[in-house]
């Protein structure tokens, strides 16, 4: 236990952010690290519970949180880094972008503020890189088996690293020109600077993992050739099919899916000058409406502000969640409560219980978003949405960003070529991580649907172990 009375002596200290007027002028990360003394006190707040719900319920990868908190408190940073890497391939990434379900499950969160687990994880990982402790872990011997991993997002990278360390020859195929998938093109640089991904990729290359960017499997590499050239295949493409906005006017120019918008800016930051005809996709000088109140919508807000939008409004169809605790989502489970991101703090109008009814424009360009307020009432099959008479509203809009989530993995062409069975939601069905096609595995959003980065890492690790066991059985 870090310090028996630590949770009594020390209060939670939130992660400091760079000043708003400074950070909205660049694309660098918003968060700042805690001072060494403050971090030590935050680690001291961990109570080393008899049942560590942060580990057992909150953390998908089952980080041994009480252990690394104790090690940080005692100044044993190298051991803390080894502990953290034993369960999480990329703690420097989850320490930045994970919403921290571990903190929601912290025992202190029952009637106090949780231990600042996410920041401790982040600073352990950064200290490990700074000290040179992140070395390549090469296998003692090779198995002679070849595994293809399709997709280089968090699930694919985690699986590839695990399989490579088990001795298999691993080749990761990525349809984009750069590696990282969602991490590269879906998360803004102000949350995750891309050199963070690159330094981890360097470790994986040194471990023997091979990468083939710019190859779309199913197009450049047919599925039958993929199966004949490899002993096993692992699908980790992500949930790339966005949920559409099916209203009149959605076809107008200036209406875009969120990921299209975010990827364009990440490419600009990477130095790309040609964006496949999307060079004009920017919020500069425009009234921006973000349809969807989740994290992706928040990322659109921060990106629009940095691009110089005239105004930014975010609409959410669900009612405004309560402040603080929510009895409908009790501890230790993830609570549905009011959350304000760093992007919201930078200047954004937020509106709940708002349904978009149609869009109007001029000369084929979107100019206005029309909507109506709704109420949610209990119904025989769950909550039912009812429009509020006389509550219609209109916003000026020259750019509408659809951030309403994702349906499932894109089926064409690869999934259809392989003939994998799908579940009722359109995800690839798996049994112990294997699809209906022998030797073809699936993990992350491909099998689960859109979810958190930490879930993708966990799925990648589990699918890699299942694939390894299957290959050993052969």
């Amino acid at each position: 236990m870090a310090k028996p009375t630590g949770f009594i002596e020390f209060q939670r200290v939130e992660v400091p952010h760079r000043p708003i007027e400074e950070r909205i002028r660049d694309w660098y990360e918003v968060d700042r690290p805690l001072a060494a003394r403050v971090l030590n006190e935050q680690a001291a707040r961990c109570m080393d519970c008899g049942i560590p719900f942060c580990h057992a319920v909150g953390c998908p990868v089952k980080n041994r949180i009480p252990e690394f908190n104790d090690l940080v408190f005692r100044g044993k940073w190298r051991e803390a880094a080894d502990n953290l890497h034993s369960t999480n391939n990329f703690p420097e990434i989850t320490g930045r972008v994970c919403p921290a379900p571990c903190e929601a499950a912290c025992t202190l969160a029952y009637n106090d503020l949780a231990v600042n687990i996410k920041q401790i994880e982040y600073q352990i990982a950064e200290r490990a890189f700074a000290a040179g402790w992140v070395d390549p872990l090469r296998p003692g011997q090779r198995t002679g088996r070849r595994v293809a991993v399709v997709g280089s997002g968090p699930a694919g990278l985690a699986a590839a690293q695990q399989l490579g360390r088990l001795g298999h020859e691993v080749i990761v195929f990525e349809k984009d020109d750069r590696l990282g998938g969602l991490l590269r093109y879906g998360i803004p640089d102000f949350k995750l600077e891309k050199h963070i991904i690159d330094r981890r990729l360097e470790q994986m290359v040194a471990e023997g993992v091979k990468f083939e960017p710019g190859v779309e499997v199913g197009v450049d590499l047919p599925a039958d050739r993929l199966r004949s050239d490899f002993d096993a295949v692992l699908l980790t493409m992500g949930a790339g099919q966005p949920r559409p906005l099916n209203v009149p006017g959605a076809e107008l120019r200036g209406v875009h899916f969120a990921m299209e918008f975010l990827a364009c800016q990440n490419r600009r930051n990477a130095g790309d000058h040609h964006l496949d005809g999307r060079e004009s996709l920017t919020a500069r000088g425009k009234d921006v409406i973000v349809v969807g109140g989740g994290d992706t919508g928040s990322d659109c807000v921060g990106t629009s502000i940095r691009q110089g939008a005239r105004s930014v409004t975010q609409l959410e169809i669900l009612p405004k969640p309560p402040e603080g605790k929510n009895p409908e989502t009790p501890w230790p489970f993830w609570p549905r409560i009011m959350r304000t991101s760093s992007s919201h703090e930078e200047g954004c109008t937020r509106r709940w219980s708002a349904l978009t009814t149609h869009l109007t424009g001029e000369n084929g360009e979107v100019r206005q978003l029309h909507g109506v307020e709704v109420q949610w009432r209990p119904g025989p099959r769950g909550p039912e949405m009812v429009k509020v008479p006389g509550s219609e509203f209109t916003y000026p809009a020259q750019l509408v960003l659809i951030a309403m989530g994702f349906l499932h993995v894109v089926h064409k062409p690869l999934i259809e070529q392989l003939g994998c069975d799908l579940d009722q939601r359109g995800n690839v069905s798996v049994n112990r991580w294997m699809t209906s096609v022998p030797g073809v595995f699936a993990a992350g959003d491909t099998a689960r649907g859109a979810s958190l980065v930490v879930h993708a890492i966990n799925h990648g690790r589990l699918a890699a172990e299942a694939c390894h066991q299957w290959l050993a059985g052969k």
Side-chain angles (χ1 to χ4, degrees):
M1 185 172 182
K3 188 175 185 180
T5 58
F7 71 98
I8 299 173
E9 296 179 36
F10 307 116
Q11 298 300 309
R12 178 183 169 103
V13 175
E14 299 297 340
V15 178
H17 295 159
R18 295 166 54 215
I20 292 176
E21 61 275 11
E22 170 190 312
R23 70 190 194 228
I24 62 173
R25 293 184 172 88
D26 60 46
W27 297 94
Y28 300 119
E29 290 181 5
V30 170
D31 292 351
R32 286 176 168 171
L34 293 172
R37 177 188 59 81
V38 177
L39 194 73
N40 180 270
E41 292 174 351
Q42 295 305 291
R45 298 185 72 235
C46 180
M47 300 186 294
D48 193 14
C49 315
I51 299 177
F53 289 91
C54 58
H55 159 91
V57 177
C59 182
V61 294
K62 298 297 183 282
N63 284 338
R64 302 200 296 271
I65 295 166
E67 294 180 22
F68 72 61
N69 282 337
D70 177 69
L71 291 167
V72 168
F73 174 71
R74 299 180 188 281
K76 297 181 178 182
W77 286 89
R78 179 64 183 267
E79 293 180 35
D82 291 342
N83 178 296
L84 185 53
H85 278 100
S86 70
T87 56
N88 188 348
N89 296 74
F90 316 122
E92 73 281 4
I93 294 175
T94 53
R96 286 173 162 84
V97 303
C98 184
C102 55
E103 294 185 14
C106 174
T107 302
L108 265 180
Y110 182 76
N111 59 1
D112 198 350
L113 297 179
V115 174
N116 203 328
I117 301 167
K118 177 180 174 180
Q119 185 66 11
I120 295 170
E121 175 181 338
Y122 158 73
Q123 293 196 218
I124 292 172
E126 287 304 309
R127 187 150 181 166
F129 274 103
W133 299 334
V134 184
D135 297 318
L137 300 180
R138 302 181 181 89
Q141 62 183 16
R142 293 290 178 180
T143 65
R145 302 289 189 175
R146 303 182 76 224
V147 182
V149 177
V150 185
S152 67
L157 292 180
Q161 187 166 59
Q162 294 298 103
L163 287 165
R165 290 173 175 177
L166 289 166
H168 305 296
E169 180 185 356
V170 182
I171 300 180
V172 180
F173 295 96
E174 170 56 55
K175 64 180 177 61
D176 286 324
D177 56 339
R178 297 183 180 90
L179 302 168
L182 167 74
L183 303 175
R184 177 75 62 179
Y185 288 129
I187 299 177
D189 287 12
F190 57 80
K191 290 175 65 176
L192 176 65
E193 294 180 31
K194 301 309 177 263
H195 66 88
I196 301 301
I197 306 171
D198 295 335
R199 69 183 182 186
R200 183 61 78 172
L201 291 172
E202 291 175 4
Q203 181 202 30
M204 294 180 66
V205 170
E207 292 176 350
V209 177
K210 300 175 183 178
F211 294 96
E212 293 287 347
V215 176
E216 185 174 0
V217 180
V219 178
D220 305 308
L221 178 62
D224 55 356
R225 183 181 159 195
L226 182 75
R227 295 198 63 201
S228 65
D229 289 353
F230 292 88
D231 297 291
V233 175
L234 178 53
L235 307 177
T236 59
M237 290 91 72
Q241 188 69 48
R243 180 175 285 107
L245 179 64
N246 293 319
V247 300
E251 74 286 350
L252 292 168
R253 292 190 298 274
V255 181
H256 298 271
F257 286 114
M259 295 305 294
E260 179 187 4
F261 174 70
L262 295 173
C264 279
Q265 184 56 52
N266 282 6
R267 289 185 178 277
R268 291 189 188 98
N269 293 346
D272 291 354
H273 300 291
H274 301 288
L275 303 174
D276 300 326
R278 296 183 178 89
E279 288 78 9
S280 62
L281 179 47
T282 175
R284 179 173 296 279
K286 298 176 181 178
D287 298 299
V288 180
I289 306 294
V290 180
V291 183
D295 290 340
T296 301
S298 170
D299 292 343
C300 289
V301 169
T303 300
S304 298
I305 290 170
R306 283 161 178 76
Q307 288 182 351
R310 180 163 51 205
S311 68
V312 183
T313 303
Q314 186 176 21
L315 305 180
E316 169 58 56
I317 195 171
L318 295 175
K320 183 177 180 179
E323 303 277 355
K325 295 185 180 299
N326 185 346
E328 295 181 0
T329 52
W331 177 89
F333 302 107
W334 181 250
R336 184 179 177 273
I337 57 174
M338 177 66 179
R339 291 181 172 85
T340 300
S341 71
S342 61
S343 293
H344 293 139
E345 295 171 352
E346 295 163 359
C348 168
T349 299
R350 304 172 72 183
R351 187 166 185 167
W352 288 266
S353 299
L355 171 68
T356 300
T357 56
H358 62 288
L359 306 172
T360 55
E362 298 175 1
N363 301 319
E365 300 274 355
V366 68
R367 288 292 179 265
Q368 291 179 316
L369 180 143
H370 307 269
V372 63
E373 292 183 2
V374 297
Q375 289 182 344
W376 292 87
R377 300 173 181 173
R381 298 183 180 180
E384 295 181 347
M385 182 180 67
V386 179
K387 296 180 181 178
V388 178
S391 65
E392 294 79 6
F393 60 83
T394 300
Y395 283 106
Q398 300 84 49
L399 178 62
V400 176
L401 301 174
I402 304 171
M404 298 165 51
F406 301 86
L407 297 174
H408 48 67
V409 65
V410 176
H411 299 154
K412 294 183 179 180
L414 181 57
I415 302 299
E416 292 185 353
Q417 287 182 15
L418 289 169
C420 298
D421 290 345
L422 306 175
D423 65 17
Q424 293 181 346
R425 297 187 299 151
N427 304 316
V428 174
S429 294
V430 294
N431 181 11
R432 297 182 180 178
W433 306 105
M434 188 184 290
T435 70
S436 58
V437 181
V440 177
F441 297 79
D445 291 1
T446 299
R448 178 189 176 97
S451 189
L452 304 177
V453 169
V454 69
H455 278 298
I457 294 173
N458 182 49
H459 278 206
R461 291 171 64 91
L462 294 174
E465 178 62 25
C467 181
H468 172 66
Q469 295 295 336
W470 183 78
L471 289 169
K474 289 185 66 180

